[in-house]
Amino acid sequence: MSAPPVVDLPIEDERLAQDVTNGLAAVEKLLRSSVESEDAFVTEASKHLIEAGGKRFRTLMVLLAAQFGDASAPGVVPGAVVIELTHLGSLYHDDVMDEAPVRRGSPSANARWDNTVAILTGDYLFAQASDLLADLGPELIRVQAQTFSRLVQGQIRETIGPRDGEDPVGHYLHVLADKTGSLIAASGRFGALLSGAPADVEERLSRACEAIGVAWQLGDDLLDVASTGAESGKTPGTDLKEGIKTLPVLYALAAGDHPRLTALMSGPVADEDLDEALSLLRAHSGMARARAELDAWVDRARDDISGLPDIPAKDAFLALCDYVVERSG
């Protein structure tokens, strides 16, 4: 009998599933204690998104990667918390920039309090991550610094958009790799480094995790168009209504073969036009091209994973690749 699903991923090996479950519990405990402050308000604001839940996807990547070394090494759990705090801090800042009223089904920090509180809370989480990181050694500090640089550059690129003459699709994929893929790549690298895995395993895990991260985001792009709310738990067309040009939209605009669709996609789609826009986009070849791009990123991940040692964690990573494809519809 298979072990229970962990973070939406059914792990077949019961011992691995138990190791990951125990690791997730340890990470959750340290994550909550790491944001405690003498100031009750700082603690409340910092725990706001922690208590709202989340997949802990990056934590899972750290824990699975650590299986290729000594998964019980003392730095693995703090390393996973560093990654999770970095992710959470970036969400506080994202919600300010996006003026998002909701995050994980709860009012965002900027909606509950204000932009200043949200920005400063994100900064506090980054500071707490740095405090934990200081005990993990200079190599991990360098990895975190390089990752943070990519996160910020990705956000800047997204904010200014493609430059004159730059391919919008290439620009978009570069943004995804920096904004989403880089921290998931760091998750794999942290797990490998902190567990003492061999250097070639570390590199494979980092590349595979980045590819999985980009593919996951491309899956979200497809779900925003193709899914129904009942199937995915997401409201279809959310990105279209916000005027976000995801990969299917970029391919459709580049094709330029449907004037009505081009007109609808030129800016935020009005509520009264949303059903038409979704119907036209679902039938457009841009969807198939976006799906092919997702498949290509998953294939990159599989190529690197195939060279890893044959242990249950390798099978779990391959199962994750399958899951990323299946969840996209």
Side-chain angles (χ1 to χ4, degrees), residues 72-322:
S72 63
V76 171
V77 168
V81 173
V82 168
I83 294 289
E84 200 63 42
L85 286 172
T86 303
H87 174 56
L88 288 168
S90 72
L91 296 184
Y92 280 85
H93 288 183
D94 281 350
D95 287 343
V96 171
M97 288 183 287
D98 298 341
E99 300 180 350
V102 176
R103 168 69 70 174
R104 294 177 174 173
S106 300
S108 60
N110 46 298
R112 181 173 175 181
W113 293 291
D114 58 33
N115 285 347
T116 300
V117 168
I119 292 168
L120 292 173
T121 302
D123 292 345
Y124 175 72
L125 295 184
F126 293 144
Q128 298 307 98
S130 297
D131 189 39
L132 286 172
L133 188 62
D135 293 328
L136 300 181
E139 190 168 9
L140 275 297
I141 293 171
R142 182 175 295 106
V143 171
Q144 173 76 347
Q146 292 169 346
T147 301
F148 204 78
S149 176
R150 288 188 64 190
L151 284 169
V152 173
Q153 290 183 73
Q155 183 62 64
I156 291 171
R157 288 191 185 96
E158 182 180 59
T159 300
I160 65 173
R163 300 182 183 277
D164 290 344
E166 184 178 4
D167 173 30
V169 170
H171 173 271
Y172 182 73
L173 293 173
H174 194 173
V175 167
L176 291 193
D178 284 346
K179 274 196 66 181
T180 301
S182 64
L183 190 57
I184 299 177
S187 303
R189 193 177 294 278
F190 265 45
L193 281 169
L194 291 165
S195 68
D200 64 317
V201 169
E202 174 198 334
E203 292 303 324
R204 284 184 177 275
L205 285 168
S206 179
R207 290 193 302 265
C209 286
E210 176 156 346
I212 288 170
V214 174
W216 186 281
Q217 185 58 56
L218 293 176
D220 282 349
D221 288 359
L222 290 166
L223 285 170
D224 188 64
V225 178
S227 72
T228 66
E231 291 171 341
S232 66
K234 300 175 182 288
T235 302
T238 298
D239 289 336
L240 297 180
K241 290 171 65 175
E242 294 177 1
I244 299 172
K245 292 180 172 58
T246 57
L247 193 60
V249 173
L250 290 173
Y251 278 137
L253 290 173
D257 55 0
H258 199 301
R260 175 58 178 164
L261 182 58
T262 299
L264 288 171
M265 300 297 163
S266 62
V269 177
D271 288 342
E272 61 268 23
D273 295 327
L274 184 60
D275 286 344
E276 180 187 6
L278 285 170
S279 178
L280 292 173
L281 194 53
R282 286 166 182 163
H284 195 275
S285 62
M287 287 292 286
R289 293 185 67 187
R291 190 172 300 282
E293 185 66 35
L294 181 154
D295 290 342
W297 283 92
V298 170
D299 286 343
R300 290 188 201 182
R302 286 195 182 108
D303 285 346
D304 272 310
I305 294 166
S306 66
L308 292 172
D310 289 323
I311 62 172
K314 175 181 179 179
D315 295 332
F317 271 115
L318 289 171
L320 180 57
C321 289
D322 293 339

